[in-house]
Amino acid sequence: MSLQQIDATLQRELQQLAEQGRAKPRERVITDYVPAKNGSGPRYRLEGQQGLFIRMNSNSYLSLGNHPALIAAADEATRRFGTGPGAVRFIDGTYCHHTALEKRIALFMDKPAAKIFNSAYTANCGLALAINSATTLWAGDRLNHNSIIRAMRICGVPGENKAIFNHNDVQDLDRCLDSAAPGITRVIVVFDGIFSMRGDFAPTDRILQVIEKHKDRFADGIISVIDDSHGIGAYGKTGRGTAEFCGAAPDIIVGTFGKAFGVNGGFVCTSATIVETIRQKADTYIYTNPLSMADCAAATRAIDICDSKEGLDLLKTLNRRTRQFREGLEQIGLETIPGPHPIVPLLVRDTMRTRMLVNGLFDHGILAVGLTFPVVPKGDETIRFQINCAHTKADIDYVLEIMAKLVKKQGCK
């Protein structure tokens, strides 16, 4: 059979995305990793490009991906059990490394139990499949991650069972809960901990205060869910993320091993009953192979490091580099969204200038992400920088120096 007809249709759709400015650029291919040396942090080689590049767009906030202990743990697990589990969890695809990781992340997040997934995206979808019902109201922040929005769609949540509150607006959340329709027996309030495009955080303590006010109105209560994928490991006094920073922990915590922990996979930490319900009902857990034993072993070792003096020292270094960068942008006279997190958004507020700056950074060996219209509304055009603790003082100084030169040359200030 021929694909000519559907290919022609899809090519037209792709062309429309390009004309609308919504098409993703061609993916750059990393071909080599160059370890830190001579006062500079790690650098990368790109296919088809000369020179070395510093990544200012990596989620690996604690720079653990190349840590010798993680590599050794992954190597030992692979040599012992092989490269893959060979089956889904409930058909003898569960290894000791899977259960050890679940116990370790539950302990780290101070929850009774945990269930691990291939990603935080599939964790959000699996959680929703497990705890949704026909009489559940979902109340979510307007800027929630795509995985949360997709999870509700996968569950088939009807429009009348959805409520959207304005970003970080607890009074609007209060209004949403006040407006719950008769017959609602369960409410799920779900929000990001760190909002990945902005670097700001949910006021978890105030959100839980609003929930407390309404909790007795519904037979199954109100369940608070935070996706703190960008927060856990990256901030808070001991790296426990938004719950620790705000001094208030939601009922269910979703996170990832693929950012600060530097490995792969996602998790849900909550009560033992909800975890067992996930195991029984979550399609994205039941019908797919789990993480490799190497991933689990490396992730467990990463949590151990985060939960040690070494981890606290890494967190302090990350905080220093983040402050250095934020203060440097301020000295140049550039606008950012304030906050303690290593996601640092530079508000350019113009599509052409954003693209010029991102291209200028690339020409000087700096990788950063530009968000322009129509991906974001006009006036919200942004360059998202992400600080890692492997960035040295000299690295940050260099990026700030180039930023200052580009701003002066291009008139972007």
Side-chain angles (χ1 to χ4, degrees), residues 8 23 35 43 59 62 69 76 135 203 260 284 300 319 327 349 406 412:
R43 295 293 190 270
N59 297 320
L62 296 180
E76 190 277 333
T135 55
T284 56
T300 301
N319 291 337
E327 290 170 0
R349 302 193 182 280
L406 292 173
C412 297

Side-chain angles (χ1 to χ4, degrees), residues 61-82:
Y61 301 114
L62 296 180
S63 302
L64 289 175
N66 294 92
H67 195 292
L70 270 67
I71 295 172
D75 181 64
E76 190 277 333
T78 301
R79 291 180 184 278
R80 182 180 175 190
F81 289 114

Side-chain angles (χ1 to χ4, degrees), residues 160-176:
E160 61 268 24
N161 284 22
K162 297 177 186 176
I164 307 300
F165 57 91
N166 292 327
H167 179 53
N168 281 347
D169 187 338
V170 295
Q171 291 181 332
D172 202 35
L173 170 60
D174 194 22
R175 175 195 61 78
C176 289

Side-chain angles (χ1 to χ4, degrees), residues 74-152:
D75 181 64
E76 190 277 333
T78 301
R79 291 180 184 278
R80 182 180 175 190
F81 289 114
T83 57
V88 297
R89 289 284 295 266
F90 75 95
I91 307 180
D92 295 326
T94 296
Y95 286 70
C96 55
H97 289 90
H98 296 116
T99 56
L101 178 56
E102 287 169 340
K103 291 175 183 176
R104 189 65 184 90
I105 190 60
L107 179 65
F108 185 79
M109 297 311 305
D110 194 26
K111 291 293 185 183
K115 187 53 65 182
I116 59 173
F117 287 78
N118 285 320
S119 67
Y121 201 110
T122 55
N124 274 321
C125 293
L127 173 65
L129 288 165
I131 64 175
N132 185 49
S133 73
T135 55
T136 295
L137 172 70
W138 289 77
D141 189 289
R142 187 171 298 279
L143 298 186
N144 273 348
H145 189 265
N146 175 275
S147 61
I148 296 174
I149 298 167
R150 182 63 61 184
M152 286 187 276

